Amino acid sequence: MVEFTTQFCDSASFSQTALRQYGRYEKDADFTQLPILNEHTVITYITEGSGSLKLGSSMHTIEPGSILVMFPDVCVNASALHGPIQLMWAEMSGDALPKILARAGLTPQKPILSLADLGDNCKTKSTLAQLTAPDTELGALAAYGLAMEMLDYLVQESPRPCQPKVSNLQQYYVEKSIRYIKTKYPQDISVEDVAQYCGLNRSYLGKLFRDATGMTTQEYLIRQRMSVACHYLEIGAAPIATIARSVGYPNQLHFSRAFHKVFGIPPREWQKRNRKNAK
């Protein structure tokens, strides 16, 4: 028996993100730190030390477990920190980066959050530690992968995660639902699974979907499956039972009933007519 599973990855909007450099930083208690002005975004995790620092015109307090983001062209004055200071950092850039950080609640106005409560269970910390380990040499792709993994954990572990801002929230959820359906239709998914993926109530998602497309979420899911099934039937790619499983119907009888409801004829009859017409 062949099993085929997929996991949807909504990564297209994050693709414009680059890792430029990374490492670790230590400062002795008697070391004077000059003001810093960064060209790119620097994400830091404070492992030791505390105190106050000035970002632009605002004062902020840090402690071990703090995530500090130094945004481009914002002057950082760290003269009020109490040493020794130890931190891990990654310098990144790209048009998508501010949007990702905003989902974690990190903006130029709110550049610090604390993950101290997570302790050793903090995946943001452990991934950044793996990336910046001084005795490990990583290839560019491996380092980039860890940086993106760190950002993903940062969003997940943030105590103040934010919903992505879109011009039309209805369109955002409908498009998200459609992408999920087009990826997951080979599996035995339900409308409830689609709603759960979007983080919405099933009824509310159904209303948004109907208003935007003129059909219910269930109808769209069925049409997606039937469209693919028709293609397989037309080219005679496999037995009907196999085609049924490949579009999310483990039971051939259930597939045939659904197909008949949509097209008014059984799948085998549809196949005969369309393969004949194709000649």
Side-chain angles (χ1 to χ4, degrees), residues 107-242:
T107 65
Q109 294 73 37
K110 296 181 179 179
I112 295 178
L113 63 81
S114 177
L115 301 180
D117 291 343
L118 298 177
D120 292 336
N121 294 322
C122 179
K123 294 182 178 179
T124 304
K125 174 186 176 182
S126 60
T127 306
L128 190 54
Q130 187 178 353
L131 172 64
T132 62
D135 56 347
T136 302
E137 292 187 9
L138 297 171
L141 289 176
Y144 175 78
L146 284 171
M148 295 301 291
E149 186 176 359
M150 179 270 295
L151 289 176
D152 188 58
Y153 284 136
L154 179 58
V155 172
Q156 294 180 43
E157 296 180 328
S158 169
R160 53 176 193 240
C162 300
Q163 189 65 255
K165 293 182 180 180
V166 293
S167 58
N168 189 326
L169 197 58
Q170 176 188 18
Q171 181 180 355
Y172 166 78
Y173 282 122
V174 171
E175 290 180 352
K176 186 173 183 178
S177 301
I178 289 174
R179 290 195 300 268
Y180 181 85
I181 289 171
K182 285 187 174 181
T183 304
K184 291 284 191 176
Y185 75 86
Q187 301 178 30
D188 188 17
I189 63 169
S190 65
V191 174
E192 189 66 37
D193 294 322
V194 181
Q196 185 176 357
Y197 173 75
C198 293
L200 296 178
N201 175 273
R202 172 178 174 170
S203 298
Y204 180 61
L205 175 62
K207 181 181 183 304
L208 294 181
F209 207 95
R210 181 186 287 275
D211 290 344
T213 67
M215 67 182 78
T216 66
T217 318
Q218 178 70 17
E219 287 171 341
Y220 188 91
L221 172 60
I222 292 174
R223 289 196 181 194
Q224 172 66 25
R225 286 170 164 166
M226 294 305 154
S227 175
V228 176
C230 285
H231 171 69
Y232 290 152
L233 289 167
E234 187 175 6
I235 64 176
I240 292 179
T242 302

Side-chain angles (χ1 to χ4, degrees), residues 67-80:
I67 292 287
L68 163 66
V69 178
M70 293 181 278
F71 287 91
D73 302 323
V74 175
C75 184
V76 181
N77 192 324
S79 59

